[in-house]
Amino acid sequence: MLTPVTDTDGAPFWEYAAQGELRVQACADCGELRFPPRPCCPHCQSFAAEWRLTSGRGRVWSYVVPHPPLLPDYAAQAPYNVVMVELEETPRIRLVGNLVSRAGASLDSLDPERVRIGARVRVVFPEGGLPQWVLA
Amino acid sequence: MTVAGLKDATAIVGIGQTAFAKRLPEDEKTLACRAVLAALDDAGIAPGEVDGLASYTMEETDEVELAKAVGFGDLTFFSKVPYGGGGSCATVAHLAGAIASGQASVGVAWRSRKRGSGPRPWTNTTVQLPTPAQWTRPFGLLRPADEIAMLARRYMHEYGATRDHLFNVALACRNRANQNPAAVMYERPLTREMYMTSRWISEPLCLFDNCLETDGALACVLVSKERARDCAKKPVYVHSVAQGLPAQHHGMVNYWNDDPLTGPAWTAARQLWKHADFTADDVDVAQIYDAFTALVPLSLEGYGFCGRGEGGAFTEQGALEIGGRLPLNTSGGGLSEAYVHGFNLINEGVKQLRGTSTAQVPGAATCLVTAGEGVPTSALLLRS
Ligand SMILES: [Zn+2]
Protein backbone atom coordinates (compact mmCIF):
# COMPACT_ATOMS: atom_id res chain seq x y z
CA MET A 1 0.00 0.00 0.00
CA LEU A 2 1.09 3.58 -0.61
CA THR A 3 1.91 5.68 2.40
CA PRO A 4 1.70 9.48 2.42
CA VAL A 5 4.82 11.30 1.26
CA THR A 6 4.51 14.29 3.51
CA ASP A 7 5.89 17.80 3.24
CA THR A 8 6.59 20.38 5.93
CA ASP A 9 3.05 21.70 5.79
CA GLY A 10 1.31 18.33 5.79
CA ALA A 11 3.44 16.39 8.31
CA PRO A 12 1.50 17.47 11.44
CA PHE A 13 -1.76 16.08 10.00
CA TRP A 14 -0.22 12.63 9.70
CA GLU A 15 1.51 12.84 13.07
CA TYR A 16 -1.77 13.67 14.80
CA ALA A 17 -3.54 10.93 12.82
CA ALA A 18 -0.96 8.38 14.05
CA GLN A 19 -1.97 9.43 17.59
CA GLY A 20 -5.66 8.93 16.81
CA GLU A 21 -6.59 12.57 16.34
CA LEU A 22 -8.16 14.20 13.28
CA ARG A 23 -6.82 17.73 13.33
CA VAL A 24 -7.12 20.42 10.66
CA GLN A 25 -4.87 23.41 10.18
CA ALA A 26 -6.37 26.74 11.23
CA CYS A 27 -5.20 30.33 11.14
CA ALA A 28 -4.02 31.39 14.59
CA ASP A 29 -5.03 35.00 13.82
CA CYS A 30 -8.38 34.94 11.99
CA GLY A 31 -9.38 31.39 12.92
CA GLU A 32 -10.27 30.17 9.40
CA LEU A 33 -9.78 26.43 8.85
CA ARG A 34 -7.88 25.46 5.73
CA PHE A 35 -7.16 22.25 3.88
CA PRO A 36 -4.81 21.06 2.48
CA PRO A 37 -2.25 22.62 4.84
CA ARG A 38 -0.09 25.47 3.54
CA PRO A 39 2.35 28.07 4.86
CA CYS A 40 -0.03 30.98 5.29
CA CYS A 41 -3.70 31.94 5.56
CA PRO A 42 -5.45 32.75 2.26
CA HIS A 43 -7.92 34.98 4.14
CA CYS A 44 -5.60 37.21 6.20
CA GLN A 45 -2.13 36.17 5.00
CA SER A 46 -0.98 35.36 8.51
CA PHE A 47 1.81 32.79 8.89
CA ALA A 48 0.64 31.83 12.38
CA ALA A 49 -1.12 28.45 12.33
CA GLU A 50 -2.49 25.93 14.80
CA TRP A 51 -3.92 22.42 14.49
CA ARG A 52 -7.53 22.27 15.66
CA LEU A 53 -9.14 19.04 16.83
CA THR A 54 -12.23 18.17 14.77
CA SER A 55 -15.36 16.32 15.82
CA GLY A 56 -14.34 13.48 13.52
CA ARG A 57 -17.88 13.47 12.16
CA GLY A 58 -18.98 14.23 8.63
CA ARG A 59 -21.03 13.28 5.60
CA VAL A 60 -20.15 11.61 2.33
CA TRP A 61 -19.90 14.35 -0.36
CA SER A 62 -19.11 11.94 -3.17
CA TYR A 63 -17.51 8.56 -3.77
CA VAL A 64 -16.05 6.36 -6.48
CA VAL A 65 -15.56 2.63 -6.87
CA PRO A 66 -12.26 1.94 -8.68
CA HIS A 67 -11.78 -1.21 -10.73
CA PRO A 68 -8.47 -2.48 -12.22
CA PRO A 69 -6.07 -1.64 -13.78
CA LEU A 70 -4.75 -0.39 -10.44
CA LEU A 71 -1.50 -0.71 -8.48
CA PRO A 72 -1.21 -4.33 -7.26
CA ASP A 73 -2.04 -3.76 -3.55
CA TYR A 74 -5.17 -1.88 -4.55
CA ALA A 75 -6.16 -4.22 -7.37
CA ALA A 76 -6.16 -7.03 -4.80
CA GLN A 77 -8.94 -5.23 -2.88
CA ALA A 78 -10.89 -3.90 -5.88
CA PRO A 79 -13.62 -2.99 -6.30
CA TYR A 80 -13.39 -0.81 -3.19
CA ASN A 81 -14.79 2.60 -2.33
CA VAL A 82 -13.02 5.94 -2.03
CA VAL A 83 -15.17 8.54 -0.35
CA MET A 84 -14.87 12.24 0.08
CA VAL A 85 -16.12 13.33 3.48
CA GLU A 86 -17.12 16.89 4.28
CA LEU A 87 -16.57 17.70 7.93
CA GLU A 88 -19.59 18.42 10.09
CA GLU A 89 -18.19 21.66 11.47
CA THR A 90 -16.92 23.08 8.15
CA PRO A 91 -18.40 21.39 5.07
CA ARG A 92 -15.86 22.90 2.68
CA ILE A 93 -13.12 21.00 4.50
CA ARG A 94 -13.29 17.71 2.62
CA LEU A 95 -11.12 14.66 3.21
CA VAL A 96 -10.51 11.76 0.87
CA GLY A 97 -10.69 8.39 2.61
CA ASN A 98 -12.28 4.95 2.67
CA LEU A 99 -15.54 3.82 4.23
CA VAL A 100 -14.87 0.47 5.93
CA SER A 101 -16.80 -1.96 8.13
CA ARG A 102 -14.62 -1.32 11.22
CA ALA A 103 -11.24 0.22 12.10
CA GLY A 104 -8.43 -1.63 10.37
CA ALA A 105 -10.69 -3.48 7.92
CA SER A 106 -9.74 -3.77 4.25
CA LEU A 107 -10.78 -1.19 1.63
CA ASP A 108 -13.43 -3.54 0.27
CA SER A 109 -14.90 -4.50 3.65
CA LEU A 110 -18.13 -2.53 3.23
CA ASP A 111 -20.68 -3.50 0.59
CA PRO A 112 -20.56 -0.67 -2.01
CA GLU A 113 -24.37 -0.70 -1.94
CA ARG A 114 -24.17 0.82 1.54
CA VAL A 115 -22.19 3.86 0.40
CA ARG A 116 -24.46 6.84 -0.21
CA ILE A 117 -23.94 10.55 -0.78
CA GLY A 118 -25.07 12.27 2.39
CA ALA A 119 -24.41 9.27 4.65
CA ARG A 120 -23.27 10.25 8.15
CA VAL A 121 -19.81 8.91 8.97
CA ARG A 122 -17.20 9.13 11.73
CA VAL A 123 -13.46 8.78 11.66
CA VAL A 124 -11.63 5.76 13.14
CA PHE A 125 -7.92 5.17 13.47
CA PRO A 126 -6.42 1.75 12.92
CA GLU A 127 -3.23 1.15 14.90
CA GLY A 128 -0.59 3.48 13.38
CA GLY A 129 -2.44 3.64 10.08
CA LEU A 130 -4.29 6.14 7.93
CA PRO A 131 -7.58 7.53 9.19
CA GLN A 132 -10.60 5.54 7.99
CA TRP A 133 -14.36 6.19 8.11
CA VAL A 134 -17.26 4.07 9.34
CA LEU A 135 -21.01 4.64 9.04
CA ALA A 136 -22.18 6.67 12.04
CA MET B 1 -0.64 46.14 -26.57
CA THR B 2 -3.76 45.31 -24.62
CA VAL B 3 -5.35 41.89 -24.31
CA ALA B 4 -8.16 43.14 -26.52
CA GLY B 5 -5.42 43.98 -29.04
CA LEU B 6 -4.79 40.26 -29.45
CA LYS B 7 -8.15 39.93 -31.18
CA ASP B 8 -7.57 38.44 -34.64
CA ALA B 9 -3.99 39.79 -34.56
CA THR B 10 -2.55 36.35 -35.34
CA ALA B 11 -3.62 33.34 -37.32
CA ILE B 12 -2.90 29.64 -37.51
CA VAL B 13 -1.59 29.02 -41.01
CA GLY B 14 -0.23 25.50 -40.78
CA ILE B 15 -1.17 22.26 -39.07
CA GLY B 16 0.57 18.90 -39.02
CA GLN B 17 0.22 15.52 -37.43
CA THR B 18 1.69 12.02 -37.47
CA ALA B 19 -0.32 8.85 -37.66
CA PHE B 20 -2.22 7.97 -34.45
CA ALA B 21 -2.02 4.43 -33.09
CA LYS B 22 -1.81 2.42 -29.92
CA ARG B 23 1.82 1.78 -30.82
CA LEU B 24 4.10 3.65 -33.21
CA PRO B 25 7.70 2.51 -33.77
CA GLU B 26 9.34 5.94 -33.69
CA ASP B 27 10.30 7.77 -30.50
CA GLU B 28 8.67 10.96 -29.23
CA LYS B 29 11.42 13.24 -30.52
CA THR B 30 11.13 11.82 -34.04
CA LEU B 31 7.34 12.11 -33.96
CA ALA B 32 7.66 15.74 -32.79
CA CYS B 33 9.98 16.52 -35.69
CA ARG B 34 7.60 14.94 -38.19
CA ALA B 35 4.56 16.84 -36.88
CA VAL B 36 6.39 20.18 -36.82
CA LEU B 37 7.80 19.75 -40.33
CA ALA B 38 4.37 18.73 -41.61
CA ALA B 39 2.83 21.88 -40.08
CA LEU B 40 5.52 24.14 -41.60
CA ASP B 41 5.09 22.45 -44.98
CA ASP B 42 1.33 23.02 -44.72
CA ALA B 43 2.01 26.71 -44.04
CA GLY B 44 4.61 27.01 -46.77
CA ILE B 45 7.14 28.41 -44.30
CA ALA B 46 10.78 27.24 -44.08
CA PRO B 47 12.01 25.85 -40.75
CA GLY B 48 14.77 28.48 -40.70
CA GLU B 49 12.13 31.20 -40.27
CA VAL B 50 10.75 29.81 -37.00
CA ASP B 51 11.70 32.02 -34.04
CA GLY B 52 9.03 31.17 -31.44
CA LEU B 53 8.09 27.89 -29.72
CA ALA B 54 5.53 26.77 -27.17
CA SER B 55 4.63 23.40 -25.72
CA TYR B 56 3.56 21.69 -22.50
CA THR B 57 5.85 21.28 -19.46
CA MET B 58 5.06 17.56 -19.81
CA GLU B 59 6.52 17.58 -23.33
CA GLU B 60 9.63 15.37 -23.34
CA THR B 61 11.22 16.85 -26.48
CA ASP B 62 13.15 19.96 -25.46
CA GLU B 63 13.23 23.13 -27.52
CA VAL B 64 16.96 22.68 -28.15
CA GLU B 65 16.50 19.14 -29.43
CA LEU B 66 13.67 20.11 -31.74
CA ALA B 67 15.41 23.27 -32.97
CA LYS B 68 18.63 21.58 -33.95
CA ALA B 69 16.90 18.54 -35.44
CA VAL B 70 14.58 20.40 -37.82
CA GLY B 71 16.81 23.41 -38.46
CA PHE B 72 15.10 26.36 -36.80
CA GLY B 73 16.70 29.79 -36.97
CA ASP B 74 17.51 31.92 -33.92
CA LEU B 75 14.71 31.51 -31.39
CA THR B 76 13.60 34.65 -29.59
CA PHE B 77 10.59 33.25 -27.70
CA PHE B 78 9.95 29.89 -26.04
CA SER B 79 7.40 28.93 -23.46
CA LYS B 80 6.01 25.89 -21.70
CA VAL B 81 2.64 25.55 -20.04
CA PRO B 82 2.03 23.32 -16.98
CA TYR B 83 -0.84 21.00 -15.95
CA GLY B 84 -0.83 18.47 -18.76
CA GLY B 85 -3.89 18.70 -20.97
CA GLY B 86 -4.81 22.03 -19.41
CA GLY B 87 -1.95 23.58 -21.32
CA SER B 88 -2.93 22.77 -24.90
CA CYS B 89 -4.70 25.99 -25.91
CA ALA B 90 -2.32 28.12 -23.86
CA THR B 91 0.58 27.12 -26.13
CA VAL B 92 -1.23 28.91 -28.97
CA ALA B 93 -2.19 31.76 -26.62
CA HIS B 94 1.43 32.30 -25.60
CA LEU B 95 2.57 32.35 -29.22
CA ALA B 96 -0.23 34.75 -30.14
CA GLY B 97 0.92 37.13 -27.42
CA ALA B 98 4.54 36.80 -28.44
CA ILE B 99 3.85 37.45 -32.13
CA ALA B 100 1.39 40.29 -31.53
CA SER B 101 3.90 42.01 -29.25
CA GLY B 102 6.82 41.53 -31.60
CA GLN B 103 8.76 38.97 -29.58
CA ALA B 104 8.61 36.48 -32.44
CA SER B 105 7.33 36.33 -36.02
CA VAL B 106 6.78 32.62 -36.75
CA GLY B 107 5.63 30.48 -33.84
CA VAL B 108 5.30 26.71 -33.59
CA ALA B 109 3.29 24.90 -30.90
CA TRP B 110 3.48 21.14 -30.61
CA ARG B 111 2.84 18.03 -28.53
CA SER B 112 4.35 14.58 -28.99
CA ARG B 113 3.37 11.65 -26.82
CA LYS B 114 3.70 7.91 -26.56
CA ARG B 115 0.92 7.24 -24.12
CA GLY B 116 -0.33 4.22 -26.03
CA SER B 117 2.83 2.16 -25.83
CA GLY B 118 4.43 3.96 -22.87
CA PRO B 119 3.72 3.54 -19.14
CA ARG B 120 0.71 5.18 -17.48
CA PRO B 121 1.90 8.28 -15.61
CA TRP B 122 -0.05 7.32 -12.46
CA THR B 123 1.94 4.10 -12.01
CA ASN B 124 5.09 6.12 -11.27
CA THR B 125 4.45 6.55 -7.56
CA THR B 126 7.82 8.21 -6.91
CA VAL B 127 6.81 11.12 -9.11
CA GLN B 128 3.11 11.03 -8.27
CA LEU B 129 3.10 10.64 -4.51
CA PRO B 130 4.52 13.88 -3.07
CA THR B 131 2.25 16.87 -2.46
CA PRO B 132 -0.62 17.00 -3.26
CA ALA B 133 -1.08 13.27 -3.76
CA GLN B 134 -0.42 12.57 -0.04
CA TRP B 135 -4.10 13.52 0.47
CA THR B 136 -5.52 11.16 -2.16
CA ARG B 137 -3.27 8.38 -3.46
CA PRO B 138 -2.81 6.38 -0.23
CA PHE B 139 -6.59 5.89 -0.11
CA GLY B 140 -6.63 4.30 -3.53
CA LEU B 141 -7.69 7.37 -5.51
CA LEU B 142 -4.89 6.52 -7.91
CA ARG B 143 -5.70 7.60 -11.44
CA PRO B 144 -7.05 10.67 -13.22
CA ALA B 145 -10.19 8.61 -13.95
CA ASP B 146 -10.75 8.17 -10.19
CA GLU B 147 -10.20 11.86 -9.53
CA ILE B 148 -12.69 12.99 -12.17
CA ALA B 149 -15.19 10.23 -11.29
CA MET B 150 -15.44 11.80 -7.83
CA LEU B 151 -16.67 15.06 -9.38
CA ALA B 152 -18.84 13.18 -11.87
CA ARG B 153 -20.69 11.29 -9.11
CA ARG B 154 -21.38 14.48 -7.21
CA TYR B 155 -22.46 16.25 -10.41
CA MET B 156 -24.87 13.43 -11.29
CA HIS B 157 -26.25 13.41 -7.74
CA GLU B 158 -26.71 17.16 -7.55
CA TYR B 159 -28.24 17.78 -10.98
CA GLY B 160 -29.74 14.50 -12.07
CA ALA B 161 -27.27 13.97 -14.90
CA THR B 162 -27.30 10.34 -16.04
CA ARG B 163 -25.09 7.76 -17.69
CA ASP B 164 -27.15 8.33 -20.83
CA HIS B 165 -25.91 11.91 -20.85
CA LEU B 166 -22.32 10.71 -20.64
CA PHE B 167 -23.07 8.18 -23.38
CA ASN B 168 -24.33 11.03 -25.59
CA VAL B 169 -20.88 12.58 -25.33
CA ALA B 170 -19.05 9.32 -26.04
CA LEU B 171 -21.36 8.59 -28.97
CA ALA B 172 -20.95 12.01 -30.62
CA CYS B 173 -17.17 11.64 -30.48
CA ARG B 174 -17.29 8.09 -31.77
CA ASN B 175 -19.66 8.97 -34.62
CA ARG B 176 -17.26 11.69 -35.78
CA ALA B 177 -14.29 9.33 -35.50
CA ASN B 178 -16.19 6.87 -37.68
CA GLN B 179 -16.04 9.57 -40.40
CA ASN B 180 -12.30 10.29 -39.90
CA PRO B 181 -9.84 7.83 -41.51
CA ALA B 182 -7.02 9.18 -39.30
CA ALA B 183 -8.92 8.33 -36.11
CA VAL B 184 -8.02 5.31 -34.01
CA MET B 185 -11.74 4.48 -33.86
CA TYR B 186 -12.41 4.87 -37.59
CA GLU B 187 -14.91 2.23 -38.74
CA ARG B 188 -15.50 1.10 -35.13
CA PRO B 189 -19.05 2.14 -34.16
CA LEU B 190 -20.29 2.44 -30.59
CA THR B 191 -23.76 1.41 -29.43
CA ARG B 192 -25.67 2.19 -26.27
CA GLU B 193 -25.61 -1.47 -25.35
CA MET B 194 -21.81 -1.60 -25.70
CA TYR B 195 -21.58 1.45 -23.47
CA MET B 196 -23.99 0.27 -20.79
CA THR B 197 -22.46 -3.21 -20.53
CA SER B 198 -18.79 -2.21 -20.72
CA ARG B 199 -16.49 -2.73 -17.78
CA TRP B 200 -16.16 -0.13 -15.05
CA ILE B 201 -12.96 1.85 -14.71
CA SER B 202 -14.01 3.95 -11.73
CA GLU B 203 -17.73 3.94 -11.02
CA PRO B 204 -19.61 5.97 -12.23
CA LEU B 205 -17.18 6.05 -15.20
CA CYS B 206 -16.96 3.05 -17.54
CA LEU B 207 -14.48 2.12 -20.24
CA PHE B 208 -16.10 4.36 -22.87
CA ASP B 209 -16.06 7.38 -20.55
CA ASN B 210 -12.27 7.34 -20.78
CA CYS B 211 -10.05 8.68 -23.55
CA LEU B 212 -7.86 6.50 -25.72
CA GLU B 213 -4.23 5.70 -25.00
CA THR B 214 -2.40 6.87 -28.10
CA ASP B 215 1.03 7.39 -29.68
CA GLY B 216 1.23 10.42 -31.92
CA ALA B 217 2.26 14.05 -32.36
CA LEU B 218 0.70 17.28 -33.65
CA ALA B 219 1.85 20.83 -34.33
CA CYS B 220 0.56 24.14 -35.63
CA VAL B 221 2.16 27.32 -36.99
CA LEU B 222 1.18 30.87 -36.02
CA VAL B 223 2.02 34.17 -37.71
CA SER B 224 0.69 37.75 -37.67
CA LYS B 225 -2.53 38.47 -39.54
CA GLU B 226 -0.54 40.55 -42.04
CA ARG B 227 1.77 37.69 -42.89
CA ALA B 228 -1.12 35.20 -42.82
CA ARG B 229 -2.63 36.83 -45.91
CA ASP B 230 0.39 35.68 -47.93
CA CYS B 231 0.40 32.09 -46.70
CA ALA B 232 -0.61 29.06 -48.74
CA LYS B 233 -3.70 28.15 -46.75
CA LYS B 234 -6.76 30.09 -45.60
CA PRO B 235 -5.83 31.76 -42.28
CA VAL B 236 -7.69 30.77 -39.12
CA TYR B 237 -7.65 33.77 -36.80
CA VAL B 238 -7.01 33.52 -33.07
CA HIS B 239 -9.93 35.65 -31.93
CA SER B 240 -9.66 35.33 -28.16
CA VAL B 241 -7.48 33.41 -25.73
CA ALA B 242 -7.62 32.61 -22.02
CA GLN B 243 -6.04 30.64 -19.23
CA GLY B 244 -7.90 29.77 -16.04
CA LEU B 245 -6.86 28.79 -12.52
CA PRO B 246 -9.73 29.43 -10.07
CA ALA B 247 -9.28 30.62 -6.50
CA GLN B 248 -8.42 27.81 -4.06
CA HIS B 249 -7.98 25.34 -6.92
CA HIS B 250 -5.89 22.27 -6.26
CA GLY B 251 -4.47 20.43 -9.26
CA MET B 252 -6.77 17.77 -10.66
CA VAL B 253 -8.49 17.16 -7.34
CA ASN B 254 -10.18 20.51 -6.85
CA TYR B 255 -12.24 19.20 -3.98
CA TRP B 256 -11.36 22.05 -1.66
CA ASN B 257 -13.02 24.96 -3.40
CA ASP B 258 -16.24 26.31 -1.97
CA ASP B 259 -17.80 24.94 -5.15
CA PRO B 260 -15.80 22.16 -6.83
CA LEU B 261 -18.31 21.87 -9.69
CA THR B 262 -17.42 25.29 -11.05
CA GLY B 263 -13.94 24.43 -12.21
CA PRO B 264 -11.29 26.15 -14.32
CA ALA B 265 -13.61 26.32 -17.37
CA TRP B 266 -15.63 29.01 -15.63
CA THR B 267 -12.56 31.14 -14.95
CA ALA B 268 -11.17 30.71 -18.47
CA ALA B 269 -14.58 31.43 -20.01
CA ARG B 270 -15.01 34.77 -18.26
CA GLN B 271 -11.66 35.90 -19.67
CA LEU B 272 -12.30 34.37 -23.10
CA TRP B 273 -15.67 36.05 -23.69
CA LYS B 274 -14.57 39.38 -22.22
CA HIS B 275 -12.63 40.21 -25.37
CA ALA B 276 -14.69 38.39 -27.98
CA ASP B 277 -17.00 39.92 -30.58
CA PHE B 278 -19.44 37.01 -30.28
CA THR B 279 -20.99 34.78 -27.61
CA ALA B 280 -21.52 31.09 -26.96
CA ASP B 281 -24.74 31.29 -29.01
CA ASP B 282 -22.65 32.18 -32.07
CA VAL B 283 -20.24 29.23 -31.83
CA ASP B 284 -20.72 27.02 -34.90
CA VAL B 285 -18.67 24.05 -33.71
CA ALA B 286 -16.82 23.16 -30.49
CA GLN B 287 -13.78 21.07 -29.67
CA ILE B 288 -14.15 20.46 -25.93
CA TYR B 289 -11.46 18.63 -24.01
CA ASP B 290 -12.67 15.09 -23.44
CA ALA B 291 -10.17 13.01 -21.53
CA PHE B 292 -13.36 11.90 -19.72
CA THR B 293 -16.96 12.28 -20.91
CA ALA B 294 -17.94 13.95 -17.63
CA LEU B 295 -15.70 16.93 -18.42
CA VAL B 296 -17.96 17.91 -21.30
CA PRO B 297 -21.18 18.76 -19.40
CA LEU B 298 -19.08 20.65 -16.84
CA SER B 299 -17.42 22.58 -19.70
CA LEU B 300 -20.72 23.26 -21.49
CA GLU B 301 -21.85 25.03 -18.33
CA GLY B 302 -18.54 26.78 -17.73
CA TYR B 303 -18.29 28.20 -21.25
CA GLY B 304 -21.90 29.38 -21.16
CA PHE B 305 -23.69 27.05 -23.58
CA CYS B 306 -26.27 26.33 -20.89
CA GLY B 307 -27.04 27.16 -17.29
CA ARG B 308 -25.64 25.64 -14.13
CA GLY B 309 -26.66 21.99 -13.80
CA GLU B 310 -27.99 21.84 -17.38
CA GLY B 311 -24.90 20.32 -19.01
CA GLY B 312 -26.28 16.78 -18.93
CA ALA B 313 -29.64 17.68 -20.45
CA PHE B 314 -27.89 19.82 -23.09
CA THR B 315 -26.50 16.63 -24.65
CA GLU B 316 -30.01 15.28 -25.39
CA GLN B 317 -31.75 15.12 -28.79
CA GLY B 318 -28.55 14.89 -30.78
CA ALA B 319 -27.34 18.32 -29.70
CA LEU B 320 -23.68 17.31 -30.02
CA GLU B 321 -24.05 15.58 -33.39
CA ILE B 322 -23.58 17.11 -36.84
CA GLY B 323 -26.69 19.18 -37.47
CA GLY B 324 -27.31 19.50 -33.72
CA ARG B 325 -27.20 22.59 -31.56
CA LEU B 326 -23.44 22.34 -30.96
CA PRO B 327 -21.50 19.82 -33.08
CA LEU B 328 -18.76 18.52 -30.81
CA ASN B 329 -15.24 17.12 -31.28
CA THR B 330 -15.65 16.62 -34.99
CA SER B 331 -12.43 14.62 -35.46
CA GLY B 332 -13.48 12.19 -32.72
CA GLY B 333 -11.65 14.02 -29.92
CA GLY B 334 -9.60 12.40 -27.21
CA LEU B 335 -12.28 9.77 -26.71
CA SER B 336 -12.20 8.39 -30.25
CA GLU B 337 -9.63 10.07 -32.55
CA ALA B 338 -6.48 10.18 -30.42
CA TYR B 339 -5.47 11.28 -26.95
CA VAL B 340 -2.51 13.59 -27.47
CA HIS B 341 -3.23 15.90 -24.54
CA GLY B 342 -5.91 17.69 -26.53
CA PHE B 343 -3.72 19.07 -29.33
CA ASN B 344 -5.82 17.28 -31.95
CA LEU B 345 -8.74 19.49 -30.85
CA ILE B 346 -6.78 22.60 -31.92
CA ASN B 347 -5.93 21.21 -35.33
CA GLU B 348 -9.48 20.01 -35.85
CA GLY B 349 -10.75 23.51 -35.07
CA VAL B 350 -8.49 24.80 -37.84
CA LYS B 351 -9.77 22.16 -40.27
CA GLN B 352 -13.38 23.12 -39.55
CA LEU B 353 -12.71 26.79 -40.27
CA ARG B 354 -10.80 25.89 -43.43
CA GLY B 355 -13.77 23.77 -44.47
CA THR B 356 -11.68 20.59 -44.69
CA SER B 357 -12.89 18.48 -41.75
CA THR B 358 -13.93 14.90 -42.41
CA ALA B 359 -17.12 15.83 -40.51
CA GLN B 360 -17.50 19.32 -41.82
CA VAL B 361 -20.09 21.63 -40.26
CA PRO B 362 -21.46 23.55 -43.26
CA GLY B 363 -20.31 27.15 -43.23
CA ALA B 364 -18.53 26.91 -39.87
CA ALA B 365 -16.97 30.30 -39.15
CA THR B 366 -16.42 30.18 -35.38
CA CYS B 367 -14.99 27.45 -33.18
CA LEU B 368 -14.34 27.10 -29.45
CA VAL B 369 -11.39 24.92 -28.48
CA THR B 370 -10.81 24.08 -24.83
CA ALA B 371 -8.06 22.44 -22.82
CA GLY B 372 -8.31 20.05 -19.88
CA GLU B 373 -11.08 20.80 -17.38
CA GLY B 374 -10.45 19.81 -13.77
CA VAL B 375 -6.88 21.09 -14.08
CA PRO B 376 -5.75 24.70 -14.60
CA THR B 377 -6.90 25.20 -18.17
CA SER B 378 -6.89 27.31 -21.31
CA ALA B 379 -9.15 27.99 -24.28
CA LEU B 380 -9.24 29.55 -27.74
CA LEU B 381 -11.87 31.14 -29.89
CA LEU B 382 -10.96 30.65 -33.54
CA ARG B 383 -12.66 32.31 -36.50
CA SER B 384 -12.26 32.16 -40.25
ZN1 LIG C 1 -6.13 34.10 8.75
Side-chain angles (χ1 to χ4, degrees):
Chain A
M1 301 294 281
L2 299 173
T3 51
V5 175
T6 67
D7 59 354
T8 309
D9 298 317
F13 178 93
W14 301 108
E15 288 159 15
Y16 285 119
Q19 298 163 31
E21 288 182 352
L22 188 70
R23 286 183 182 259
V24 171
Q25 194 184 33
C27 177
D29 282 322
C30 77
E32 283 277 350
L33 292 174
R34 61 184 189 252
F35 187 86
R38 68 204 70 170
C40 62
C41 173
H43 302 279
C44 77
Q45 287 70 45
S46 167
F47 282 77
E50 59 192 26
W51 285 82
R52 200 168 300 165
L53 189 64
T54 73
S55 66
R57 287 191 298 271
R59 285 173 182 267
V60 174
W61 186 85
S62 186
Y63 68 98
V64 300
V65 182
H67 294 248
L70 293 157
L71 295 172
D73 287 349
Y74 294 87
Q77 298 176 69
Y80 56 87
N81 71 73
V82 187
V83 295
M84 190 161 22
V85 175
E86 51 183 19
L87 291 186
E88 185 180 74
E89 48 268 71
T90 309
R92 71 183 162 74
I93 305 287
R94 306 183 185 98
L95 302 168
V96 174
N98 306 105
L99 195 52
V100 295
S101 60
R102 58 179 168 74
S106 64
L107 302 187
D108 61 347
S109 58
L110 191 81
D111 182 352
E113 290 296 309
R114 299 191 60 196
V115 187
R116 288 276 186 275
I117 287 179
R120 293 177 181 279
V121 297
R122 65 180 171 84
V123 74
V124 291
F125 295 92
E127 194 63 36
L130 302 177
Q132 295 180 310
W133 300 87
V134 295
L135 291 170
Chain B
M1 187 191 70
T2 64
V3 178
L6 266 186
K7 190 191 299 176
D8 304 326
T10 61
I12 298 175
V13 293
I15 53 175
Q17 69 189 51
T18 66
F20 304 131
K22 184 85 174 172
R23 187 173 300 270
L24 293 174
E26 294 183 318
D27 62 19
E28 282 177 354
K29 193 196 299 186
T30 304
L31 295 173
C33 292
R34 289 195 186 283
V36 167
L37 287 172
L40 287 165
D41 183 58
D42 186 51
I45 292 175
E49 290 195 60
V50 174
D51 55 5
L53 291 181
S55 196
Y56 308 51
T57 56
M58 287 188 181
E59 173 60 37
E60 302 266 338
T61 304
D62 283 341
E63 294 90 344
V64 288
E65 293 295 320
L66 185 66
K68 69 186 182 189
V70 303
F72 290 151
D74 289 347
L75 293 169
T76 54
F77 179 87
F78 32 95
S79 168
K80 282 198 170 168
V81 187
Y83 301 104
S88 59
C89 292
T91 62
V92 172
H94 287 201
L95 290 177
I99 291 167
S101 61
Q103 296 177 78
S105 57
V106 177
V108 169
W110 86 96
R111 182 73 172 114
S112 176
R113 208 165 188 227
K114 293 194 75 170
R115 172 76 173 263
S117 57
R120 304 290 174 268
W122 58 267
T123 60
N124 186 342
T125 54
T126 311
V127 172
Q128 294 276 320
L129 254 187
T131 314
Q134 61 181 309
W135 309 112
T136 56
R137 293 286 201 281
F139 303 102
L141 197 74
L142 300 174
R143 307 159 299 183
D146 304 314
E147 295 168 348
I148 296 302
M150 192 72 87
L151 293 178
R153 171 91 68 185
R154 180 70 196 189
Y155 179 76
M156 294 163 89
H157 170 84
E158 204 157 309
Y159 296 116
T162 65
R163 291 194 69 210
D164 265 304
H165 293 142
L166 301 184
F167 166 66
N168 290 340
V169 174
L171 181 66
C173 292
R174 183 62 71 91
N175 286 344
R176 301 296 81 74
N178 292 163
Q179 296 173 256
N180 173 10
V184 172
M185 290 298 176
Y186 181 56
E187 293 183 328
R188 294 177 66 181
L190 176 69
T191 66
R192 185 175 182 277
E193 188 190 358
M194 286 164 68
Y195 177 91
M196 290 297 172
T197 58
S198 71
R199 63 187 171 88
W200 293 115
I201 299 297
S202 192
E203 296 175 51
L205 300 184
C206 71
L207 178 65
F208 296 112
D209 292 311
N210 289 259
C211 62
L212 302 170
E213 304 286 7
T214 317
D215 288 4
L218 299 108
C220 71
V221 181
L222 234 78
V223 297
S224 69
K225 67 177 175 197
E226 290 80 14
R227 172 143 189 190
R229 293 185 193 116
D230 301 326
C231 285
K233 297 280 165 59
K234 181 181 171 188
V236 169
Y237 295 99
V238 179
H239 183 67
S240 183
V241 305
Q243 289 184 267
L245 195 175
Q248 296 295 310
H249 188 79
H250 191 100
M252 191 150 175
V253 283
N254 63 327
Y255 308 149
W256 298 294
N257 293 332
D258 284 347
D259 185 357
L261 297 181
T262 55
W266 294 72
T267 305
R270 281 190 287 273
Q271 176 72 359
L272 192 71
W273 295 121
K274 193 190 295 179
H275 303 290
D277 290 346
F278 55 93
T279 70
D281 289 342
D282 306 310
V283 169
D284 295 325
V285 57
Q287 317 296 333
I288 294 182
Y289 194 92
D290 59 344
F292 307 101
T293 54
L295 298 180
V296 171
L298 291 171
S299 297
L300 290 171
E301 295 177 18
Y303 287 98
F305 293 100
C306 59
R308 178 83 193 268
E310 297 172 356
F314 185 95
T315 68
E316 294 170 0
Q317 282 140 10
L320 307 180
E321 305 283 342
I322 297 291
R325 195 168 152 197
L326 185 69
L328 180 83
N329 298 4
T330 43
S331 68
L335 287 163
S336 283
E337 183 190 30
Y339 185 63
V340 194
H341 256 163
F343 209 108
N344 51 325
L345 301 175
I346 299 172
N347 282 13
E348 174 60 14
V350 173
K351 289 174 193 173
Q352 280 288 348
L353 300 186
R354 284 178 174 182
T356 61
S357 170
T358 51
Q360 184 62 41
V361 173
T366 58
C367 181
L368 169 72
V369 186
T370 76
E373 170 61 350
V375 291
T377 193
S378 51
L380 299 171
L381 285 175
L382 303 177
R383 78 184 311 174
S384 56

